[in-house]
PDB file of all heavy atoms in Angstrom:
ATOM      1  N   ALA A1390     -46.261  33.207  44.446  1.00 98.00           N
ATOM      2  CA  ALA A1390     -45.463  33.508  45.645  1.00 98.00           C
ATOM      3  C   ALA A1390     -46.021  32.780  46.867  1.00 98.00           C
ATOM      4  O   ALA A1390     -45.261  32.245  47.686  1.00 98.00           O
ATOM      5  CB  ALA A1390     -45.423  35.015  45.890  1.00 98.00           C
ATOM      6  N   ASP A1391     -47.357  32.721  46.982  1.00 97.00           N
ATOM      7  CA  ASP A1391     -47.986  31.990  48.095  1.00 97.00           C
ATOM      8  C   ASP A1391     -47.629  30.511  48.057  1.00 97.00           C
ATOM      9  O   ASP A1391     -47.418  29.884  49.096  1.00 97.00           O
ATOM     10  CB  ASP A1391     -49.520  32.111  48.012  1.00 97.00           C
ATOM     11  CG  ASP A1391     -50.004  33.446  48.545  1.00 97.00           C
ATOM     12  OD1 ASP A1391     -49.199  34.162  49.179  1.00 97.00           O
ATOM     13  OD2 ASP A1391     -51.189  33.771  48.320  1.00 97.00           O
ATOM     14  N   THR A1392     -47.588  29.959  46.851  1.00 95.00           N
ATOM     15  CA  THR A1392     -47.251  28.545  46.678  1.00 95.00           C
ATOM     16  C   THR A1392     -45.815  28.274  47.104  1.00 95.00           C
ATOM     17  O   THR A1392     -45.523  27.307  47.817  1.00 95.00           O
ATOM     18  CB  THR A1392     -47.407  28.143  45.195  1.00 95.00           C
ATOM     19  OG1 THR A1392     -48.743  28.453  44.790  1.00 95.00           O
ATOM     20  CG2 THR A1392     -47.123  26.678  44.986  1.00 95.00           C
ATOM     21  N   ILE A1393     -44.916  29.158  46.672  1.00 96.00           N
ATOM     22  CA  ILE A1393     -43.489  28.969  46.939  1.00 96.00           C
ATOM     23  C   ILE A1393     -43.193  29.088  48.432  1.00 96.00           C
ATOM     24  O   ILE A1393     -42.397  28.331  48.983  1.00 96.00           O
ATOM     25  CB  ILE A1393     -42.663  29.999  46.140  1.00 96.00           C
ATOM     26  CG1 ILE A1393     -42.786  29.702  44.640  1.00 96.00           C
ATOM     27  CG2 ILE A1393     -41.212  29.998  46.569  1.00 96.00           C
ATOM     28  CD1 ILE A1393     -42.278  30.829  43.779  1.00 96.00           C
ATOM     29  N   VAL A1394     -43.868  30.036  49.063  1.00 97.00           N
ATOM     30  CA  VAL A1394     -43.636  30.280  50.489  1.00 97.00           C
ATOM     31  C   VAL A1394     -43.937  29.026  51.320  1.00 97.00           C
ATOM     32  O   VAL A1394     -43.292  28.759  52.321  1.00 97.00           O
ATOM     33  CB  VAL A1394     -44.492  31.489  50.948  1.00 97.00           C
ATOM     34  CG1 VAL A1394     -44.960  31.353  52.369  1.00 97.00           C
ATOM     35  CG2 VAL A1394     -43.710  32.776  50.749  1.00 97.00           C
ATOM     36  N   ARG A1395     -44.911  28.218  50.833  1.00 95.00           N
ATOM     37  CA  ARG A1395     -45.263  27.005  51.573  1.00 95.00           C
ATOM     38  C   ARG A1395     -44.240  25.902  51.379  1.00 95.00           C
ATOM     39  O   ARG A1395     -44.096  25.029  52.242  1.00 95.00           O
ATOM     40  CB  ARG A1395     -46.649  26.494  51.132  1.00 95.00           C
ATOM     41  CG  ARG A1395     -47.764  27.332  51.713  1.00 95.00           C
ATOM     42  CD  ARG A1395     -49.126  26.664  51.531  1.00 95.00           C
ATOM     43  NE  ARG A1395     -50.123  27.701  51.310  1.00 95.00           N
ATOM     44  CZ  ARG A1395     -50.688  27.964  50.137  1.00 95.00           C
ATOM     45  NH1 ARG A1395     -50.393  27.240  49.084  1.00 95.00           N
ATOM     46  NH2 ARG A1395     -51.564  28.933  50.040  1.00 95.00           N
ATOM     47  N   LYS A1396     -43.549  25.888  50.233  1.00 96.00           N
ATOM     48  CA  LYS A1396     -42.565  24.822  49.943  1.00 96.00           C
ATOM     49  C   LYS A1396     -41.300  25.437  49.338  1.00 96.00           C
ATOM     50  O   LYS A1396     -40.930  25.146  48.197  1.00 96.00           O
ATOM     51  CB  LYS A1396     -43.150  23.806  48.942  1.00 96.00           C
ATOM     52  CG  LYS A1396     -44.325  22.999  49.466  1.00 96.00           C
ATOM     53  CD  LYS A1396     -43.855  21.837  50.325  1.00 96.00           C
ATOM     54  CE  LYS A1396     -45.068  21.066  50.858  1.00 96.00           C
ATOM     55  NZ  LYS A1396     -44.670  20.130  51.931  1.00 96.00           N
ATOM     56  N   PRO A1397     -40.623  26.285  50.091  1.00 97.00           N
ATOM     57  CA  PRO A1397     -39.488  27.023  49.506  1.00 97.00           C
ATOM     58  C   PRO A1397     -38.311  26.136  49.101  1.00 97.00           C
ATOM     59  O   PRO A1397     -37.505  26.544  48.277  1.00 97.00           O
ATOM     60  CB  PRO A1397     -39.084  27.993  50.629  1.00 97.00           C
ATOM     61  CG  PRO A1397     -39.619  27.380  51.872  1.00 97.00           C
ATOM     62  CD  PRO A1397     -40.856  26.617  51.492  1.00 97.00           C
ATOM     63  N   ASN A1398     -38.254  24.938  49.655  1.00 97.00           N
ATOM     64  CA  ASN A1398     -37.167  24.039  49.270  1.00 97.00           C
ATOM     65  C   ASN A1398     -37.501  23.176  48.057  1.00 97.00           C
ATOM     66  O   ASN A1398     -36.643  22.448  47.564  1.00 97.00           O
ATOM     67  CB  ASN A1398     -36.795  23.121  50.441  1.00 97.00           C
ATOM     68  CG  ASN A1398     -36.291  23.922  51.620  1.00 97.00           C
ATOM     69  OD1 ASN A1398     -35.623  24.942  51.448  1.00 97.00           O
ATOM     70  ND2 ASN A1398     -36.653  23.504  52.816  1.00 97.00           N
ATOM     71  N   ARG A1399     -38.761  23.251  47.585  1.00 97.00           N
ATOM     72  CA  ARG A1399     -39.173  22.430  46.449  1.00 97.00           C
ATOM     73  C   ARG A1399     -39.552  23.259  45.220  1.00 97.00           C
ATOM     74  O   ARG A1399     -39.396  22.805  44.100  1.00 97.00           O
ATOM     75  CB  ARG A1399     -40.372  21.531  46.817  1.00 97.00           C
ATOM     76  CG  ARG A1399     -40.163  20.633  48.020  1.00 97.00           C
ATOM     77  CD  ARG A1399     -38.958  19.731  47.921  1.00 97.00           C
ATOM     78  NE  ARG A1399     -38.952  18.845  46.762  1.00 97.00           N
ATOM     79  CZ  ARG A1399     -39.626  17.694  46.681  1.00 97.00           C
ATOM     80  NH1 ARG A1399     -40.364  17.279  47.686  1.00 97.00           N
ATOM     81  NH2 ARG A1399     -39.544  16.950  45.597  1.00 97.00           N
ATOM     82  N   PHE A1400     -40.101  24.465  45.461  1.00 98.00           N
ATOM     83  CA  PHE A1400     -40.622  25.257  44.345  1.00 98.00           C
ATOM     84  C   PHE A1400     -39.955  26.633  44.262  1.00 98.00           C
ATOM     85  O   PHE A1400     -39.777  27.318  45.278  1.00 98.00           O
ATOM     86  CB  PHE A1400     -42.127  25.484  44.496  1.00 98.00           C
ATOM     87  CG  PHE A1400     -42.980  24.252  44.344  1.00 98.00           C
ATOM     88  CD1 PHE A1400     -44.056  24.034  45.189  1.00 98.00           C
ATOM     89  CD2 PHE A1400     -42.717  23.330  43.331  1.00 98.00           C
ATOM     90  CE1 PHE A1400     -44.854  22.906  45.059  1.00 98.00           C
ATOM     91  CE2 PHE A1400     -43.517  22.198  43.185  1.00 98.00           C
ATOM     92  CZ  PHE A1400     -44.585  21.982  44.054  1.00 98.00           C
ATOM     93  N   GLY A1401     -39.630  27.019  43.031  1.00 98.00           N
ATOM     94  CA  GLY A1401     -39.258  28.391  42.726  1.00 98.00           C
ATOM     95  C   GLY A1401     -40.237  28.922  41.693  1.00 98.00           C
ATOM     96  O   GLY A1401     -41.125  28.199  41.241  1.00 98.00           O
ATOM     97  N   GLY A1402     -40.069  30.181  41.291  1.00 98.00           N
ATOM     98  CA  GLY A1402     -41.034  30.753  40.363  1.00 98.00           C
ATOM     99  C   GLY A1402     -40.399  31.567  39.244  1.00 98.00           C
ATOM    100  O   GLY A1402     -39.364  32.207  39.435  1.00 98.00           O
ATOM    101  N   PHE A1403     -41.031  31.485  38.071  1.00 98.00           N
ATOM    102  CA  PHE A1403     -40.766  32.439  36.995  1.00 98.00           C
ATOM    103  C   PHE A1403     -41.897  33.456  37.011  1.00 98.00           C
ATOM    104  O   PHE A1403     -43.080  33.090  37.053  1.00 98.00           O
ATOM    105  CB  PHE A1403     -40.739  31.761  35.625  1.00 98.00           C
ATOM    106  CG  PHE A1403     -39.459  31.034  35.319  1.00 98.00           C
ATOM    107  CD1 PHE A1403     -39.464  29.684  35.009  1.00 98.00           C
ATOM    108  CD2 PHE A1403     -38.244  31.707  35.316  1.00 98.00           C
ATOM    109  CE1 PHE A1403     -38.296  29.011  34.707  1.00 98.00           C
ATOM    110  CE2 PHE A1403     -37.062  31.043  35.021  1.00 98.00           C
ATOM    111  CZ  PHE A1403     -37.089  29.691  34.715  1.00 98.00           C
ATOM    112  N   ALA A1404     -41.555  34.734  36.927  1.00 98.00           N
ATOM    113  CA  ALA A1404     -42.549  35.795  36.906  1.00 98.00           C
ATOM    114  C   ALA A1404     -43.331  35.766  35.597  1.00 98.00           C
ATOM    115  O   ALA A1404     -42.812  35.379  34.547  1.00 98.00           O
ATOM    116  CB  ALA A1404     -41.862  37.148  37.062  1.00 98.00           C
ATOM    117  N   SER A1405     -44.594  36.202  35.680  1.00 98.00           N
ATOM    118  CA  SER A1405     -45.379  36.553  34.499  1.00 98.00           C
ATOM    119  C   SER A1405     -45.385  38.072  34.430  1.00 98.00           C
ATOM    120  O   SER A1405     -45.589  38.731  35.454  1.00 98.00           O
ATOM    121  CB  SER A1405     -46.826  36.071  34.639  1.00 98.00           C
ATOM    122  OG  SER A1405     -46.898  34.671  34.604  1.00 98.00           O
ATOM    123  N   VAL A1406     -45.155  38.638  33.253  1.00 98.00           N
ATOM    124  CA  VAL A1406     -45.168  40.102  33.156  1.00 98.00           C
ATOM    125  C   VAL A1406     -46.055  40.551  31.996  1.00 98.00           C
ATOM    126  O   VAL A1406     -46.126  39.884  30.967  1.00 98.00           O
ATOM    127  CB  VAL A1406     -43.740  40.697  32.992  1.00 98.00           C
ATOM    128  CG1 VAL A1406     -42.933  40.472  34.262  1.00 98.00           C
ATOM    129  CG2 VAL A1406     -43.023  40.125  31.783  1.00 98.00           C
ATOM    130  N   ALA A1407     -46.716  41.685  32.204  1.00 98.00           N
ATOM    131  CA  ALA A1407     -47.607  42.241  31.184  1.00 98.00           C
ATOM    132  C   ALA A1407     -46.790  43.122  30.252  1.00 98.00           C
ATOM    133  O   ALA A1407     -46.660  44.333  30.459  1.00 98.00           O
ATOM    134  CB  ALA A1407     -48.729  43.039  31.846  1.00 98.00           C
TER     135      ALA A1407
END
Side-chain angles (χ1 to χ4, degrees):
D1391 281 348
T1392 304
I1393 293 167
V1394 147
R1395 284 192 215 106
K1396 294 279 179 193
N1398 298 325
R1399 304 304 302 279
F1400 292 139
F1403 281 123
S1405 292
V1406 293

